[in-house]
Amino acid sequence: MRYLLVLLALALSACEMQQPANAPALRVEQVLGAEPAAGFARAFAPRSFQFPEDHGAHPDYATEWWYLTGNLQTASGRRFGYQFTLFRVALRPGEALQDSAWRTQQIYMGHMAISDIAAGRHYSAERLARAAAGLAGARVAPFAVWLGPWSMRAGDELFPLTVTAQHEDIGLTLQLQPGDKPLVLQGERGLSRKSATPGNASYYYSFTRLPTRGELRIGDTVYTVQGASWMDREWSSSALDRDQVGWDWFSLQLDDGRDLMYYQLRTRQGETHAFSRGSLVEADGAVRGLLPDQVTLTPLHHWQAEDGARYPTRWRLQVPKLQLDLEVQALLDDQLMDHSVCYWEGAVQVSGSHRGSGYLELSGYDQAAPDRRSP
């Protein structure tokens, strides 16, 4: 559910792949206000997924991502959140001429973040590279998606999955196991419609609870950690519909063994869009779909960024039919991803009728945006 990167390529140079130091971060409205270029494949109807092939890249589509988030802790209980994401963005449809090892129509972007809860600090980093001369790319067997020294790698199957990423002040070396829950096809058998407009949809599947262990590095200090991760895989050629401005996306792992995903699409008038959707994954892997008339979201607290944008970082999430009345609170208010595209993504804790942990993503907020739900 991260469409803010669909048209990112329009804002970046295909040669240097560097954002000017004084360039402002892009907002969702700036990068998503147009139809996808003609020639890209579209997600019109459910499809038959093929594995392991679908774990790899889908270059006929404009964009896709391999998205990991998780909550980890040390043996002494020190808590961390992490995000690691690799995005593929196509500059244009079709294959590039094979007359040079440097010629490509694909760009890869990586985002990495660590939230150190005890220290009250959020660290993040970004990488960009062309999918040429081995700098970035994806393959099915043995599975790998890489962007320079950042990568997700496995064998002929997706798990165990090894994540490796090092930056100046932060680093990740993690191994994710498959866990007890099967892959979840989100939406309509994996087709996630975002509006009534034909083709404004993605192919979307998740692994909602992956046992994780390894190391996090902050500065010169390395922490041995373990916990659980959530993996989202999504590809499409769509953009936000004209009346949509952003979303609030929740991925929650409850202590009773259930996992909840819900994204609330917002209109330009600050209302909930009719194509907001979600799912509840039972402890045994059974999946229940969630519609907007079944879910009530109420923001309880806002954090204001330096640019004046106000992000709702504490929520009440209610699903009366399932006896869920949850308070979802950011473990740190400032978990802003302020890079080529600006959005908020961070670790949360869950209390209320059930306890748990998870991640929250907020996009499309700025200082001028209406928010009719604000208290």
Short mmCIF file of all heavy atoms in Angstrom, two decimals, residues 106-131:
data_model
loop_
_atom_site.label_atom_id
_atom_site.label_comp_id
_atom_site.label_asym_id
_atom_site.label_seq_id
_atom_site.Cartn_x
_atom_site.Cartn_y
_atom_site.Cartn_z
N GLN A 106 15.07 0.38 -15.44
CA GLN A 106 14.64 0.08 -14.07
C GLN A 106 15.54 0.80 -13.07
O GLN A 106 16.76 0.83 -13.23
CB GLN A 106 14.70 -1.42 -13.79
CG GLN A 106 13.97 -2.29 -14.80
CD GLN A 106 12.47 -2.11 -14.75
OE1 GLN A 106 11.89 -1.88 -13.69
NE2 GLN A 106 11.81 -2.21 -15.91
N ILE A 107 14.90 1.36 -12.04
CA ILE A 107 15.61 2.01 -10.93
C ILE A 107 15.21 1.30 -9.64
O ILE A 107 14.06 0.92 -9.46
CB ILE A 107 15.23 3.50 -10.84
CG1 ILE A 107 15.74 4.24 -12.07
CG2 ILE A 107 15.78 4.13 -9.57
CD1 ILE A 107 15.19 5.64 -12.19
N TYR A 108 16.18 1.10 -8.77
CA TYR A 108 15.89 0.55 -7.45
C TYR A 108 16.15 1.61 -6.38
O TYR A 108 17.13 2.36 -6.46
CB TYR A 108 16.74 -0.69 -7.18
CG TYR A 108 16.18 -1.94 -7.81
CD1 TYR A 108 16.24 -2.13 -9.19
CD2 TYR A 108 15.56 -2.92 -7.03
CE1 TYR A 108 15.71 -3.27 -9.78
CE2 TYR A 108 15.04 -4.06 -7.62
CZ TYR A 108 15.11 -4.22 -8.99
OH TYR A 108 14.57 -5.35 -9.57
N MET A 109 15.25 1.66 -5.41
CA MET A 109 15.40 2.55 -4.26
C MET A 109 15.31 1.71 -3.00
O MET A 109 14.52 0.75 -2.92
CB MET A 109 14.30 3.60 -4.24
CG MET A 109 14.14 4.32 -2.92
SD MET A 109 12.68 5.38 -2.90
CE MET A 109 13.45 6.93 -3.26
N GLY A 110 16.12 2.03 -2.00
CA GLY A 110 16.07 1.34 -0.72
C GLY A 110 15.87 2.31 0.43
O GLY A 110 16.46 3.40 0.43
N HIS A 111 15.04 1.93 1.37
CA HIS A 111 14.87 2.67 2.62
C HIS A 111 15.14 1.73 3.79
O HIS A 111 14.64 0.60 3.81
CB HIS A 111 13.45 3.23 2.74
CG HIS A 111 13.22 4.44 1.91
ND1 HIS A 111 11.99 5.06 1.81
CD2 HIS A 111 14.06 5.18 1.14
CE1 HIS A 111 12.08 6.11 1.01
NE2 HIS A 111 13.33 6.20 0.60
N MET A 112 15.93 2.20 4.73
CA MET A 112 16.22 1.46 5.95
C MET A 112 16.02 2.39 7.13
O MET A 112 16.38 3.57 7.06
CB MET A 112 17.66 0.92 5.94
CG MET A 112 18.08 0.32 7.28
SD MET A 112 19.71 -0.52 7.27
CE MET A 112 20.78 0.74 6.62
N ALA A 113 15.46 1.85 8.22
CA ALA A 113 15.26 2.66 9.42
C ALA A 113 15.35 1.78 10.66
O ALA A 113 14.96 0.61 10.62
CB ALA A 113 13.92 3.39 9.39
N ILE A 114 15.86 2.35 11.73
CA ILE A 114 15.87 1.71 13.05
C ILE A 114 15.34 2.71 14.06
O ILE A 114 15.80 3.85 14.11
CB ILE A 114 17.28 1.25 13.46
CG1 ILE A 114 17.80 0.16 12.51
CG2 ILE A 114 17.28 0.73 14.89
CD1 ILE A 114 19.23 -0.26 12.79
N SER A 115 14.36 2.28 14.85
CA SER A 115 13.85 3.09 15.96
C SER A 115 14.39 2.52 17.26
O SER A 115 14.08 1.37 17.61
CB SER A 115 12.32 3.08 15.97
OG SER A 115 11.80 3.70 14.82
N ASP A 116 15.22 3.29 17.95
CA ASP A 116 15.78 2.90 19.24
C ASP A 116 14.86 3.47 20.31
O ASP A 116 14.91 4.66 20.63
CB ASP A 116 17.20 3.44 19.38
CG ASP A 116 17.88 3.01 20.67
OD1 ASP A 116 17.20 2.47 21.57
OD2 ASP A 116 19.10 3.20 20.79
N ILE A 117 13.98 2.64 20.86
CA ILE A 117 12.92 3.13 21.73
C ILE A 117 13.49 3.70 23.03
O ILE A 117 13.08 4.77 23.48
CB ILE A 117 11.91 2.01 22.03
CG1 ILE A 117 11.43 1.36 20.71
CG2 ILE A 117 10.73 2.56 22.82
CD1 ILE A 117 10.93 2.34 19.68
N ALA A 118 14.45 3.00 23.65
CA ALA A 118 15.00 3.46 24.92
C ALA A 118 15.69 4.80 24.78
O ALA A 118 15.61 5.67 25.65
CB ALA A 118 15.98 2.41 25.47
N ALA A 119 16.38 5.01 23.65
CA ALA A 119 17.09 6.26 23.43
C ALA A 119 16.19 7.35 22.85
O ALA A 119 16.61 8.51 22.76
CB ALA A 119 18.28 6.03 22.50
N GLY A 120 15.00 6.99 22.42
CA GLY A 120 14.09 7.97 21.83
C GLY A 120 14.59 8.50 20.50
O GLY A 120 14.32 9.66 20.15
N ARG A 121 15.28 7.65 19.69
CA ARG A 121 15.86 8.10 18.44
C ARG A 121 15.40 7.23 17.27
O ARG A 121 15.30 6.02 17.39
CB ARG A 121 17.40 8.04 18.50
CG ARG A 121 18.04 9.07 19.42
CD ARG A 121 18.02 10.48 18.81
NE ARG A 121 18.59 10.52 17.47
CZ ARG A 121 19.89 10.62 17.21
NH1 ARG A 121 20.76 10.68 18.21
NH2 ARG A 121 20.33 10.68 15.96
N HIS A 122 15.16 7.88 16.15
CA HIS A 122 14.81 7.20 14.91
C HIS A 122 15.89 7.53 13.88
O HIS A 122 16.20 8.70 13.63
CB HIS A 122 13.44 7.68 14.41
CG HIS A 122 13.03 7.11 13.09
ND1 HIS A 122 13.07 7.84 11.92
CD2 HIS A 122 12.55 5.88 12.75
CE1 HIS A 122 12.64 7.09 10.93
NE2 HIS A 122 12.32 5.90 11.40
N TYR A 123 16.50 6.50 13.30
CA TYR A 123 17.55 6.66 12.31
C TYR A 123 17.04 6.12 10.98
O TYR A 123 16.36 5.08 10.94
CB TYR A 123 18.80 5.88 12.70
CG TYR A 123 19.36 6.18 14.07
CD1 TYR A 123 18.84 5.55 15.21
CD2 TYR A 123 20.41 7.08 14.23
CE1 TYR A 123 19.36 5.81 16.46
CE2 TYR A 123 20.94 7.34 15.48
CZ TYR A 123 20.40 6.71 16.60
OH TYR A 123 20.93 6.97 17.84
N SER A 124 17.40 6.77 9.88
CA SER A 124 16.97 6.25 8.58
C SER A 124 18.00 6.58 7.51
O SER A 124 18.82 7.49 7.66
CB SER A 124 15.60 6.80 8.20
OG SER A 124 15.65 8.19 7.96
N ALA A 125 17.93 5.82 6.42
CA ALA A 125 18.86 6.01 5.31
C ALA A 125 18.17 5.61 4.02
O ALA A 125 17.18 4.88 4.01
CB ALA A 125 20.11 5.16 5.52
N GLU A 126 18.73 6.11 2.90
CA GLU A 126 18.18 5.85 1.57
C GLU A 126 19.31 5.53 0.59
O GLU A 126 20.40 6.10 0.69
CB GLU A 126 17.41 7.08 1.08
CG GLU A 126 16.87 6.97 -0.33
CD GLU A 126 16.14 8.23 -0.76
OE1 GLU A 126 16.83 9.22 -1.09
OE2 GLU A 126 14.89 8.26 -0.75
N ARG A 127 19.05 4.63 -0.35
CA ARG A 127 19.97 4.34 -1.45
C ARG A 127 19.18 4.34 -2.76
O ARG A 127 18.01 3.97 -2.79
CB ARG A 127 20.64 2.97 -1.29
CG ARG A 127 21.62 2.87 -0.16
CD ARG A 127 22.36 1.54 -0.22
NE ARG A 127 23.26 1.49 -1.38
CZ ARG A 127 24.54 1.86 -1.35
NH1 ARG A 127 25.07 2.30 -0.22
NH2 ARG A 127 25.29 1.76 -2.43
N LEU A 128 19.87 4.70 -3.84
CA LEU A 128 19.29 4.69 -5.18
C LEU A 128 20.33 4.17 -6.16
O LEU A 128 21.50 4.49 -6.05
CB LEU A 128 18.86 6.10 -5.60
CG LEU A 128 17.70 6.73 -4.84
CD1 LEU A 128 17.81 8.25 -4.92
CD2 LEU A 128 16.38 6.26 -5.41
N ALA A 129 19.88 3.37 -7.12
CA ALA A 129 20.80 2.89 -8.15
C ALA A 129 20.01 2.40 -9.35
O ALA A 129 18.87 1.98 -9.25
CB ALA A 129 21.70 1.77 -7.63
N ARG A 130 20.65 2.47 -10.51
CA ARG A 130 20.09 1.89 -11.72
C ARG A 130 20.28 0.37 -11.69
O ARG A 130 21.27 -0.12 -11.14
CB ARG A 130 20.78 2.48 -12.95
CG ARG A 130 20.70 3.98 -13.01
CD ARG A 130 21.68 4.54 -14.02
NE ARG A 130 21.32 4.16 -15.38
CZ ARG A 130 22.14 4.26 -16.42
NH1 ARG A 130 23.37 4.71 -16.25
NH2 ARG A 130 21.73 3.93 -17.63
N ALA A 131 19.36 -0.35 -12.27
CA ALA A 131 19.47 -1.81 -12.35
C ALA A 131 20.34 -2.16 -13.55
O ALA A 131 19.89 -2.74 -14.55
CB ALA A 131 18.10 -2.44 -12.48
#
